[in-house]
Amino acid sequence: MAAVPTTDHPVLVGVPDQPPLDPRTLDPRTLDIKAKQEAYHDWESRTYEEKFSISYDQRCIDYARDRFRKVVPAGAGFGRVLEVGAGTGFFLINLALGGCLEGAALEATDISQGMLDVCRRNGAEHGLDITTTQGDAEALPYDDDTFDLVMGHAFIHHLPVPGAALREMLRVLRPGGTLVIAGEPTELGDRISWAVKNTTYRAFMALTALPGLTDLRKPSIRASGGSAVDEVLAGLEYEVDLHTFRPRDVEKMARLAGFREVRVVTEELTANWFGWAVRTVEGSIRPDAIGRRWAYGAFRGYLALTAFDERFLQGRVPRELFYNLLLHARKPYADATR
Ligand SMILES: C[S@@+](CC[C@H](N)C(=O)[O-])C[C@H]1O[C@@H](n2cnc3c(N)ncnc32)[C@H](O)[C@@H]1O
């Protein structure tokens, strides 16, 4: 069962219907962004996979494996693998199911115990034994030189100091070990995606204002049985995304952290616009109005546009405009001549 923040959690101070916190015991240092990340993601872990149409089947295996294979060649083997900010295990589990982590010992860490509980359960359901340890990416709970591969997907943009996490990932990697970070938003790609989301949302609201269509709109949290606590936690969604990145800054950050063989690849242009339009509709519509077939249809559209981006736009359009950023790097051997 996923951990759900208790109502006396620091981020719930002042929520209507909750007992006021005692100022004598309130530690202002806990009211920081990390407390919010933990509370939000614990709460979100209950619905995260539904929200992002996450599954453990060919659709998501192909997605994860395609990202990974852009920076790690087939045939590369790893003994001990860690995913940081692993959430419910989307990247780690789909890569393992796709044969990219053959024979490796799998570990996952995240600031949210709720996410890790779902991750371990998902792993077990797919025959994978995943060791999970709750921790902060900026102070990883592992010894130096422990892992052959350290990965992350869609998580460094949540960290106050992403460079600190890169240094930690370097520290826990064995010399010669590999770092792969995928699914991070670029600065320009994110700005364009906001315009797409905004336009889609306005169009959806205009359409569902028509007679007979208003009940297509998703009911508010309170109207669908949620509490004041749910409302506050849901609202943290707008506080937990902290960064977008310029590709060259990420390269610099990785080198400053001590990595070598640093390579940043960006991808998804029209595919991403389509993806955000789909997700905006999914976030605005009554959940029972769409089903699994919608997810597969949307994915087929995404695949077609990804192929278009790769065939016609990659290499012609500046890499800064693509939305998704992938980083590959290696920890140097102490003897840099090896
Ligand atoms: C958008 S989710 C991505 C989860 C997963 N990697 C995926 O791709 O589905 C971001 C994850 O980062 C985690 N996170 C946020 N801040 C963190 C921190 N300081 N240390 C470790 N994990 C953190 C969250 O709990 C959440 O699980």
Side-chain angles (χ1 to χ4, degrees), residues 224-264:
S224 43
S227 65
V229 169
D230 288 316
E231 255 178 354
V232 170
L233 291 170
L236 291 180
E237 177 173 8
Y238 304 100
E239 296 189 41
V240 295
D241 287 334
L242 303 183
H243 305 281
T244 56
F245 302 98
R246 288 187 296 190
R248 65 175 180 281
D249 291 344
V250 173
E251 282 163 350
K252 202 166 172 186
M253 198 160 62
R255 284 199 195 98
L256 283 173
F259 283 101
R260 295 292 172 267
E261 296 177 44
V262 174
R263 190 154 73 93
V264 165

Coordinates of all heavy atoms in Angstrom, one line a residue, residues 224-264:
S224 N -15.6 14.7 -7.0 CA -15.4 13.2 -7.2 C -15.0 12.5 -5.9 O -14.4 11.5 -5.9 CB -14.4 12.9 -8.3 OG -13.3 13.8 -8.2
G225 N -15.3 13.2 -4.8 CA -15.2 12.5 -3.5 C -13.9 12.8 -2.8 O -13.6 12.2 -1.7
G226 N -13.0 13.6 -3.3 CA -11.7 13.9 -2.7 C -11.9 14.9 -1.5 O -12.9 15.6 -1.4
S227 N -10.9 14.9 -0.7 CA -10.9 15.8 0.5 C -10.2 17.1 0.3 O -9.5 17.3 -0.7 CB -10.3 15.0 1.7 OG -8.9 14.8 1.4
A228 N -10.2 17.9 1.4 CA -9.4 19.2 1.3 C -7.9 18.8 1.2 O -7.2 19.5 0.5 CB -9.7 20.0 2.6
V229 N -7.5 17.8 1.8 CA -6.1 17.3 1.8 C -5.7 17.0 0.3 O -4.7 17.4 -0.2 CB -5.8 16.2 2.7 CG1 -4.5 15.6 2.5 CG2 -6.0 16.6 4.2
D230 N -6.6 16.2 -0.3 CA -6.4 15.9 -1.7 C -6.2 17.1 -2.6 O -5.4 17.2 -3.4 CB -7.6 15.0 -2.3 CG -7.6 13.6 -1.7 OD1 -6.5 13.0 -1.6 OD2 -8.7 13.2 -1.3
E231 N -7.1 18.1 -2.3 CA -7.0 19.3 -3.1 C -5.7 20.0 -3.0 O -5.1 20.5 -3.9 CB -8.1 20.3 -2.6 CG -9.3 20.4 -3.6 CD -10.4 21.3 -3.1 OE1 -10.3 21.8 -2.0 OE2 -11.3 21.5 -3.9
V232 N -5.2 20.1 -1.7 CA -3.9 20.8 -1.5 C -2.8 20.0 -2.1 O -1.9 20.6 -2.8 CB -3.7 20.9 0.0 CG1 -2.2 21.4 0.3 CG2 -4.6 21.9 0.7
L233 N -2.8 18.7 -2.0 CA -1.7 17.9 -2.5 C -1.8 18.0 -4.1 O -0.7 18.1 -4.7 CB -1.8 16.4 -2.0 CG -1.5 16.3 -0.6 CD1 -1.8 14.9 -0.1 CD2 0.0 16.6 -0.3
A234 N -2.9 17.9 -4.7 CA -3.0 18.0 -6.1 C -2.5 19.4 -6.6 O -1.8 19.4 -7.6 CB -4.5 17.9 -6.6
G235 N -2.7 20.4 -5.8 CA -2.2 21.7 -6.2 C -0.7 21.8 -6.2 O -0.1 22.7 -6.9
L236 N 0.0 20.9 -5.5 CA 1.4 21.0 -5.5 C 2.0 20.6 -6.9 O 3.2 20.9 -7.1 CB 2.0 20.0 -4.4 CG 1.8 20.3 -3.0 CD1 2.4 19.2 -2.1 CD2 2.4 21.7 -2.6
E237 N 1.2 20.0 -7.7 CA 1.7 19.7 -9.1 C 2.3 20.9 -9.7 O 3.3 20.8 -10.5 CB 0.5 19.3 -9.9 CG 0.9 19.0 -11.4 CD -0.2 18.4 -12.2 OE1 -1.4 18.3 -11.7 OE2 0.1 18.0 -13.4
Y238 N 1.8 22.1 -9.4 CA 2.4 23.3 -10.0 C 3.6 23.9 -9.3 O 4.2 24.9 -9.7 CB 1.2 24.4 -10.1 CG 0.1 23.8 -10.9 CD1 -1.1 23.4 -10.2 CD2 0.1 23.7 -12.3 CE1 -2.1 22.8 -10.9 CE2 -0.9 23.1 -12.9 CZ -2.1 22.6 -12.2 OH -3.1 22.0 -12.9
E239 N 4.0 23.2 -8.3 CA 5.2 23.7 -7.5 C 6.4 22.7 -7.7 O 7.5 23.1 -7.4 CB 4.9 23.8 -6.0 CG 3.9 24.9 -5.8 CD 3.7 25.1 -4.3 OE1 4.8 25.2 -3.6 OE2 2.6 25.3 -3.8
V240 N 6.1 21.5 -8.1 CA 7.2 20.5 -8.1 C 8.1 20.4 -9.3 O 9.2 19.9 -9.2 CB 6.7 19.1 -7.7 CG1 6.1 19.0 -6.3 CG2 5.7 18.6 -8.8
D241 N 7.7 21.0 -10.4 CA 8.5 21.1 -11.6 C 9.4 22.3 -11.5 O 8.9 23.4 -11.6 CB 7.7 21.1 -12.9 CG 7.0 19.8 -13.2 OD1 7.5 18.8 -12.8 OD2 6.0 19.8 -13.9
L242 N 10.7 22.1 -11.3 CA 11.6 23.2 -11.0 C 12.4 23.7 -12.1 O 12.8 24.9 -12.1 CB 12.5 22.8 -9.8 CG 11.9 22.3 -8.5 CD1 13.0 22.1 -7.5 CD2 10.9 23.3 -8.0
H243 N 12.7 22.9 -13.1 CA 13.7 23.3 -14.1 C 13.3 22.8 -15.5 O 12.6 21.8 -15.7 CB 15.1 22.7 -13.9 CG 15.7 23.0 -12.6 ND1 16.2 24.2 -12.2 CD2 15.8 22.2 -11.5 CE1 16.7 24.1 -11.0 NE2 16.4 23.0 -10.5
T244 N 13.8 23.6 -16.5 CA 13.9 23.1 -17.8 C 15.4 23.3 -18.2 O 16.1 24.1 -17.5 CB 13.0 23.8 -18.8 OG1 13.4 25.2 -18.7 CG2 11.6 23.6 -18.5
F245 N 15.9 22.7 -19.2 CA 17.4 22.7 -19.5 C 17.7 23.1 -20.9 O 17.1 22.7 -21.8 CB 17.9 21.3 -19.2 CG 17.7 20.8 -17.8 CD1 16.6 19.9 -17.5 CD2 18.5 21.2 -16.7 CE1 16.4 19.5 -16.3 CE2 18.2 20.7 -15.4 CZ 17.2 19.9 -15.2
R246 N 18.9 23.8 -21.0 CA 19.5 24.0 -22.3 C 20.5 22.9 -22.5 O 21.3 22.6 -21.6 CB 20.2 25.4 -22.4 CG 19.1 26.5 -22.4 CD 19.8 27.8 -22.7 NE 20.7 28.1 -21.6 CZ 21.3 29.3 -21.4 NH1 21.0 30.3 -22.3 NH2 22.1 29.6 -20.4
P247 N 20.5 22.2 -23.7 CA 21.4 21.0 -23.8 C 22.8 21.4 -23.5 O 23.5 20.6 -22.8 CB 21.2 20.7 -25.3 CG 19.8 21.2 -25.7 CD 19.6 22.4 -24.8
R248 N 23.3 22.5 -23.9 CA 24.7 22.8 -23.6 C 25.0 23.0 -22.1 O 26.1 22.7 -21.6 CB 25.2 24.0 -24.4 CG 24.6 25.3 -24.1 CD 25.3 26.4 -24.9 NE 24.7 27.7 -24.6 CZ 23.6 28.2 -25.1 NH1 22.9 27.4 -26.0 NH2 23.1 29.4 -24.8
D249 N 24.0 23.4 -21.4 CA 24.2 23.6 -19.9 C 24.3 22.2 -19.2 O 25.0 22.0 -18.3 CB 23.0 24.4 -19.3 CG 23.0 25.8 -19.7 OD1 24.0 26.3 -20.2 OD2 21.9 26.5 -19.6
V250 N 23.5 21.3 -19.8 CA 23.5 19.9 -19.2 C 24.9 19.3 -19.4 O 25.4 18.6 -18.6 CB 22.3 19.1 -19.7 CG1 22.4 17.6 -19.2 CG2 21.0 19.7 -19.3
E251 N 25.4 19.5 -20.7 CA 26.7 18.9 -21.0 C 27.7 19.5 -20.0 O 28.6 18.8 -19.4 CB 27.1 19.3 -22.4 CG 26.4 18.4 -23.4 CD 26.4 19.0 -24.8 OE1 26.8 20.1 -25.0 OE2 26.0 18.2 -25.8
K252 N 27.6 20.8 -19.8 CA 28.6 21.5 -18.9 C 28.5 21.0 -17.5 O 29.4 20.7 -16.8 CB 28.3 23.0 -19.0 CG 29.5 23.9 -18.6 CD 29.1 25.3 -19.0 CE 30.1 26.3 -18.5 NZ 29.6 27.7 -18.8
M253 N 27.2 20.9 -17.0 CA 26.9 20.4 -15.7 C 27.5 19.0 -15.4 O 28.1 18.7 -14.4 CB 25.4 20.4 -15.5 CG 24.9 20.4 -14.1 SD 23.2 20.9 -14.0 CE 22.3 19.7 -15.0
A254 N 27.4 18.1 -16.4 CA 27.9 16.8 -16.3 C 29.4 16.8 -16.2 O 30.0 16.1 -15.4 CB 27.4 15.9 -17.4
R255 N 30.0 17.6 -17.1 CA 31.5 17.7 -17.1 C 32.0 18.3 -15.7 O 33.0 17.8 -15.2 CB 32.0 18.5 -18.2 CG 31.9 17.8 -19.5 CD 32.8 18.4 -20.6 NE 32.4 17.8 -21.9 CZ 31.5 18.4 -22.7 NH1 31.1 19.6 -22.5 NH2 31.2 17.8 -23.8
L256 N 31.3 19.3 -15.3 CA 31.7 19.9 -14.0 C 31.6 18.9 -12.8 O 32.3 18.9 -11.9 CB 30.9 21.1 -13.7 CG 31.3 22.4 -14.5 CD1 30.2 23.5 -14.2 CD2 32.7 22.9 -14.1
A257 N 30.6 18.0 -12.9 CA 30.4 17.0 -11.9 C 31.5 16.0 -11.9 O 31.7 15.3 -10.9 CB 29.0 16.3 -12.1
G258 N 32.2 15.9 -13.0 CA 33.4 15.0 -13.1 C 33.2 13.9 -14.2 O 34.0 13.0 -14.3
F259 N 32.1 13.9 -14.9 CA 31.8 12.9 -15.9 C 32.7 13.2 -17.2 O 33.1 14.3 -17.4 CB 30.4 12.8 -16.3 CG 29.5 12.2 -15.3 CD1 28.7 12.9 -14.4 CD2 29.4 10.8 -15.3 CE1 27.9 12.2 -13.5 CE2 28.6 10.1 -14.4 CZ 27.9 10.9 -13.5
R260 N 32.9 12.1 -17.9 CA 33.6 12.2 -19.2 C 32.7 11.5 -20.3 O 31.8 10.9 -19.9 CB 35.0 11.5 -19.2 CG 36.0 12.2 -18.2 CD 36.4 13.6 -18.7 NE 37.1 14.3 -17.7 CZ 36.6 15.2 -16.8 NH1 35.3 15.4 -16.8 NH2 37.4 15.8 -16.0
E261 N 33.2 11.6 -21.6 CA 32.4 11.1 -22.7 C 30.9 11.5 -22.6 O 30.0 10.8 -22.8 CB 32.4 9.5 -22.7 CG 33.8 9.0 -22.9 CD 33.8 7.5 -22.8 OE1 32.9 6.8 -23.4 OE2 34.8 6.9 -22.2
V262 N 30.8 12.8 -22.3 CA 29.4 13.4 -22.1 C 28.8 13.6 -23.5 O 29.4 14.2 -24.4 CB 29.5 14.8 -21.4 CG1 28.2 15.4 -21.3 CG2 30.1 14.5 -20.0
R263 N 27.5 13.2 -23.6 CA 26.8 13.4 -24.8 C 25.3 13.7 -24.5 O 24.7 13.0 -23.7 CB 26.9 12.1 -25.6 CG 26.4 12.2 -27.1 CD 27.0 11.1 -27.9 NE 26.5 9.8 -27.6 CZ 25.6 9.2 -28.3 NH1 25.0 9.8 -29.3 NH2 25.2 8.0 -28.0
V264 N 24.8 14.7 -25.1 CA 23.4 15.1 -24.9 C 22.7 15.0 -26.3 O 23.2 15.5 -27.3 CB 23.3 16.5 -24.4 CG1 21.8 17.0 -24.5 CG2 23.6 16.5 -22.9

